[in-house]
Amino acid sequence: MRIAREPRHDILFEPVPIGPKTLRNRFYQVPHCTGFGVDKPFSQLAHRAVKAEGGWAAVCTEYCAISPDSDDAPYVSARLWDEDDARALALVADAAHEHGALAGIELWHGGVHAEARESRWPLVAPSQLATGYRPSAVPKALERADIRRIQTDWVAAARRARAVGFDIVYVYGGHSYLPLQFLSPVLNRRGDEYGGSLENRARFWLETIELVREALGGECALAVRLSVESHGDDGVLPLEDGLAFVELADPLVDLWDVTAGGLVWPSRLDTGPSRFFAEGYQLGWTRAVRERTAKPVIGVGRFTSPDAMATAVRTGALDVIGAARPSIADPFLPRKVEEGRYGEIRECIGCNQCYARANYGRHIGCTQNPTAGEEFRRGWHPERIPAATEAAVDALVVGAGPAGLECALTLARRGLQRVHLVDAGGEPGGHFRWLTRLPGLGEWARVVGWRRIQLGRLRNVELLAELPLDAAGVLEYGADVVVCATGARWSPHGLSAVTHTPIPGAGTGLAHVLTPEQVALEGLRPPGERVLVYDGEGYLVAAGIAELLAREGYKVELVTFLEQIAPACDETLEGYPLRRRLHEAGVAMRRATVVREIHPDGAVAETEHGGRVELAASAVVLCTQRLSDDSLYHELAARPEALAARGIRALHRVGDCVSPRTAADAIFDAHRLARELESPHPALPLPHLRERFVVRAP
Ligand code: ADP
Ligand code: SF4
């Protein structure tokens, strides 16, 4: 093994005792959602296994419901309701152990924040108070018998966890779940021994910890995940109460897993997107806890820099580097640091597509790591890739955006004789050349940066810039396989999901009608000071352009026909802070409004209730819909004889050139095609394994 690690990072590889167990180093995959739970046990096992293999000292399941009382459907939690659930989760514990890691399980009761749409049990909470999480849900106030039942369920789940080999068992209360609802002076208004003073409000959690500790019999470490401070209407907990609880519970706890904030904005601080939260943004809270306890403290904060991690440990802000997203983007991060392979670390960009895909898509995925979530069902490993069955192949990839870069890299890693990656632009990156210039999106440049570095290490790749290729150019170039990764552009005509036709008055070559590329890449600016940014996508771009122009001094109005400004950002936890930042930047916002016509002085629009309004503006930036840049592909596809005559055996396309989509999906598509190049129809994904019940005829 090559040991070239910087000595200042040695501290990250010190073992950390936690109760009866020992972490082999300071890297810890904290609980995070996958969409797998116990419904897809093999996907669960394989996703955690690659991280254990990649050097994490512990890998944890996502939040794991202790009983049907705490059912989070339609969101996918793990469940430990009975022995069958236990057998499914045992696979994770076994896989972790196989790779020398500890296995953790985050036992959970959501209280009023469990949705219970599947089990249909009544929601329960310390007091009968609705919260901003789901205001229509009014819980039952727990009776003493309910409290005992929940504690008994927690103990039963802990016993099952212990029996199937988990090393670390959580009594999870962070993020304003049931134990924290008891601790909160706002959500707990009880008049009995479980409400009132801090000691009384802490009683439920302390009793549960004590009971679970007994059940673990000294065989497992007991971890508590705590949001030590949160504001907002879903679980107000003053920092002093959080810290006082740490002191009360400390003798019973082996490991503190510290976070901050709740589930509802503005208290939401968990999984902070890079647009609004910097690396290590939770260190203030972990440091405060660490000052009150002698037990090890884990903290999160999108750590990908070994220097930042080592400094956090050295300065006493925490003991263990907790990671959800950095472990998804690079399951081998600890090993790479350990072996000094710093340039290979695939850093998380903080886009939160993983969160969105796990929660809303029920299957995790990642922008940076296309293998995330595909470990079992497609058999993909983040670091290993099968060699091409035929190596004597030259590939030409046209377009070096995220998809082209990923496709070329994957083909080269598969050992093709030669991979040529060409782009018309001066720099690789495609639309990321300008997207990353929008406010707050700088970390997204890692998508391009990481791929460039890896390509630079491979001897079978050639990257050619400023080489626009037309069909004749491709035919002349000479390759066995051609992949068009030519991307997509924003419609200059305002084609959108609502009208399906160009907007009258829109078009190219008009000073008062601009596209995002023209503003952010070409540097064109509106002729006057008032700008209307028209959004049909509801995600990143329109809001980014609006903020960019507002910060330059333009009077900006962001208009959308959608019901909310940037609703897709709500899935990535960017929506609330984004709208707030737009407001702070002085951007006026108008929803449910359809632009019907554009003219040099603005636009005519139709409001929600059918009224017409004149929107004054000296220019309109159209962010309505993207269109694939697929003409090269179609021209080539229409000339099979010419392709054959030039020895081009296969023509493919990947990424936005097929259909404009998120970078996560474009990169996944490119990676998949490169892996499945030899399949009979590479444009169509090979079937993947499905975890489901199969009904067979008797
Ligand atoms: P994706 O997200 O699918 O990677 P992008 O739009 O980000 O797509 O990138 C597409 C890239 O393809 C751009 O950098 C563009 O310059 C390049 N490109 C498009 N057409 C050609 C062409 N005919 N020749 C060379 N490069 C091209
Ligand atoms: Fe990081 Fe984005 Fe991957 Fe999530 S999807 S791990 S935020 S790069």
Side-chain angles (χ1 to χ4, degrees):
M1 189 173 71
R2 181 163 52 99
I3 309 274
R5 171 173 92 222
E6 296 285 348
R8 65 179 184 280
H9 300 148
D10 289 352
I11 195 169
L12 299 171
F13 295 92
E14 292 169 351
V16 182
I18 47 165
K21 302 285 177 176
T22 300
L23 296 169
R24 60 181 163 180
N25 59 39
R26 296 185 190 267
F27 293 89
Y28 187 103
Q29 182 247 284
V30 292
H32 72 76
C33 295
T34 53
F36 302 151
V38 288
D39 302 355
K40 297 181 186 172
F42 293 99
S43 297
Q44 174 77 266
L45 129 80
H47 183 70
R48 309 297 178 186
V50 292
K51 302 189 198 200
E53 186 191 350
W56 299 86
V59 294
C60 298
T61 66
E62 57 267 72
Y63 65 147
C64 179
I66 57 168
S67 70
D69 200 26
S70 177
D71 156 44
D72 211 25
Y75 305 108
V76 181
S77 75
R79 290 170 171 176
L80 201 38
W81 299 357
D82 58 23
E83 304 305 323
D84 290 333
D85 287 337
R87 273 191 294 281
L89 291 172
L91 300 175
V92 173
D94 292 347
H97 297 156
E98 216 169 280
H99 295 289
L102 301 181
I105 186 160
E106 189 183 40
L107 298 183
W108 164 80
H109 193 301
V112 64
H113 293 148
E115 301 259 333
R117 296 197 200 189
E118 186 179 324
S119 70
R120 300 186 77 176
W121 280 51
L123 299 183
V124 291
S127 303
Q128 193 162 62
L129 293 170
T131 78
Y133 186 62
R134 191 150 65 99
S136 62
V138 179
K140 171 192 174 190
L142 286 159
E143 297 171 62
R144 277 207 186 78
D146 296 318
I147 291 176
R148 296 287 165 262
R149 175 176 47 76
I150 290 170
Q151 289 175 329
T152 305
D153 287 344
W154 216 306
V155 165
R159 286 214 172 94
R160 289 186 191 109
R162 170 187 165 184
V164 297
F166 280 94
D167 307 284
I168 305 163
V169 176
Y170 276 73
V171 183
Y172 174 33
H175 306 119
S176 69
Y177 290 125
L178 184 63
L180 200 127
Q181 289 159 27
F182 268 99
L183 195 59
S184 164
V186 174
L187 293 183
N188 181 347
R189 302 294 175 89
R190 298 176 73 94
D192 63 5
E193 71 272 29
Y194 289 97
S197 66
L198 175 80
E199 285 69 23
N200 281 359
R201 285 182 276 121
R203 191 178 308 281
F204 170 79
W205 207 342
L206 291 173
E207 282 178 357
T208 311
I209 293 171
E210 202 163 356
L211 290 165
V212 168
R213 192 168 183 84
E214 255 174 61
L216 297 179
E219 280 187 19
C220 312
L222 188 145
V224 169
R225 198 175 214 198
L226 163 77
S227 285
V228 68
E229 181 179 25
S230 74
H231 300 286
D233 60 1
D234 68 323
V236 178
L237 186 69
L239 181 61
E240 268 321 303
D241 280 15
L243 294 175
F245 175 75
V246 169
E247 286 179 346
L248 284 173
D250 210 37
L252 302 167
V253 173
D254 297 318
L255 180 64
W256 286 103
D257 183 342
V258 176
T259 61
L263 293 176
V264 182
W265 298 103
S267 82
R268 181 110 209 185
L269 291 168
D270 190 49
T271 324
S274 62
R275 216 165 173 177
F276 308 102
F277 297 92
E279 179 170 357
Y281 68 97
Q282 298 211 0
L283 284 179
W285 288 285
T286 56
R287 191 184 295 278
V289 171
R290 201 168 180 276
E291 283 165 6
R292 305 283 183 109
T293 171
K295 305 289 174 62
V297 170
I298 300 179
V300 288
R302 231 176 51 252
F303 285 107
T304 56
S305 149
D307 280 346
M309 297 180 207
T311 303
V313 174
R314 200 167 286 118
T315 58
L318 43 64
D319 302 286
V320 181
I321 305 296
R325 291 171 292 172
S327 76
I328 299 166
D330 196 339
F332 274 60
L333 189 151
R335 273 237 216 153
K336 290 175 183 175
V337 179
E338 187 173 23
E339 294 167 13
R341 295 188 282 135
Y342 299 108
E344 291 177 45
I345 297 172
R346 193 169 41 226
E347 290 183 281
C348 165
I349 65 167
C351 65
N352 282 359
Q353 280 296 325
C354 49
Y355 176 88
R357 300 193 74 85
N359 279 286
Y360 301 94
R362 300 168 69 91
H363 199 104
I364 198 169
C366 170
T367 304
Q368 275 285 58
N369 173 13
T371 69
E374 308 300 337
E375 300 89 352
F376 169 72
R377 67 176 184 178
R378 289 192 158 86
W380 292 357
H381 190 276
E383 300 294 311
R384 293 189 292 273
I385 186 158
T389 47
E390 188 190 347
V393 170
D394 275 13
L396 168 65
V397 179
V398 187
L405 284 163
E406 179 65 26
C407 188
L409 177 60
T410 310
L411 290 174
R413 286 175 63 209
R414 297 199 61 206
L416 291 200
Q417 176 173 276
R418 200 94 205 127
V419 179
H420 307 255
L421 175 60
V422 304
D423 198 287
E427 282 288 310
H431 72 291
F432 267 48
R433 283 173 298 163
W434 59 266
L435 189 78
T436 50
R437 293 184 199 163
L438 299 182
L441 294 182
E443 266 186 35
W444 290 44
R446 293 171 174 178
V447 165
V448 177
W450 183 80
R451 285 169 177 78
R452 278 194 80 170
I453 292 171
Q454 312 320 308
L455 283 168
R457 294 202 159 123
L458 294 167
R459 302 166 74 112
N460 54 343
V461 184
E462 202 169 347
L463 178 56
L464 295 162
E466 292 182 338
L467 185 58
L469 287 180
D470 56 12
V474 169
L475 291 170
E476 231 165 74
Y477 201 96
D480 304 298
V481 174
V482 173
V483 182
C484 292
T486 46
R489 286 164 202 263
W490 287 88
S491 163
H493 303 286
L495 209 60
S496 79
V498 70
T499 55
H500 308 295
T501 51
I503 301 173
T508 51
L510 301 168
H512 65 282
V513 181
L514 297 171
T515 61
E517 291 98 338
Q518 288 175 320
V519 174
L521 181 65
E522 296 169 29
L524 294 188
R525 286 294 175 267
E529 63 164 11
R530 288 180 78 103
V531 191
L532 190 163
V533 178
Y534 186 42
D535 185 16
E537 183 197 43
Y539 186 34
L540 294 171
V541 170
I545 294 281
E547 188 182 340
L548 179 83
L549 293 175
R551 296 209 180 275
E552 288 181 10
Y554 290 93
K555 280 191 183 3
V556 181
E557 182 163 20
L558 177 57
V559 177
T560 180
F561 52 77
L562 301 164
E563 294 293 326
Q564 173 65 291
I565 298 291
C569 288
D570 288 327
E571 293 191 7
T572 56
L573 302 176
E574 292 166 298
Y576 176 92
L578 176 69
R579 290 185 283 271
R580 190 153 135 173
R581 202 155 82 179
L582 287 170
H583 180 72
E584 286 163 4
V587 174
M589 291 173 259
R590 190 188 283 267
R591 296 170 281 198
T593 302
V594 181
V595 170
R596 293 288 178 196
E597 195 184 321
I598 293 172
H599 50 74
D601 300 320
V604 180
E606 189 178 319
T607 63
E608 201 171 358
H609 306 297
R612 284 173 89 79
V613 279
E614 277 286 341
L615 303 173
S618 48
V620 177
V621 184
L622 290 172
C623 314
T624 51
Q625 172 186 331
R626 285 186 292 161
L627 294 167
S628 294
D629 206 343
D630 54 7
S631 54
L632 176 65
Y633 171 81
H634 285 301
E635 267 182 59
L636 290 168
R639 299 174 62 188
E641 298 82 12
L643 293 176
R646 289 286 172 171
I648 298 175
R649 290 188 256 152
L651 170 70
H652 305 294
R653 56 174 167 158
V654 292
D656 294 336
C657 172
V658 181
S659 77
R661 44 192 136 170
T662 60
D665 282 334
I667 289 169
F668 168 83
D669 183 44
H671 186 87
R672 185 204 60 72
L673 184 118
R675 280 203 186 237
E676 298 178 353
L677 195 67
E678 301 92 338
S679 88
H681 303 290
L684 300 177
L686 287 171
H688 57 77
L689 294 172
R690 295 167 62 201
E691 294 180 70
R692 58 178 170 154
F693 295 110
V694 176
V695 180
R696 296 206 190 284

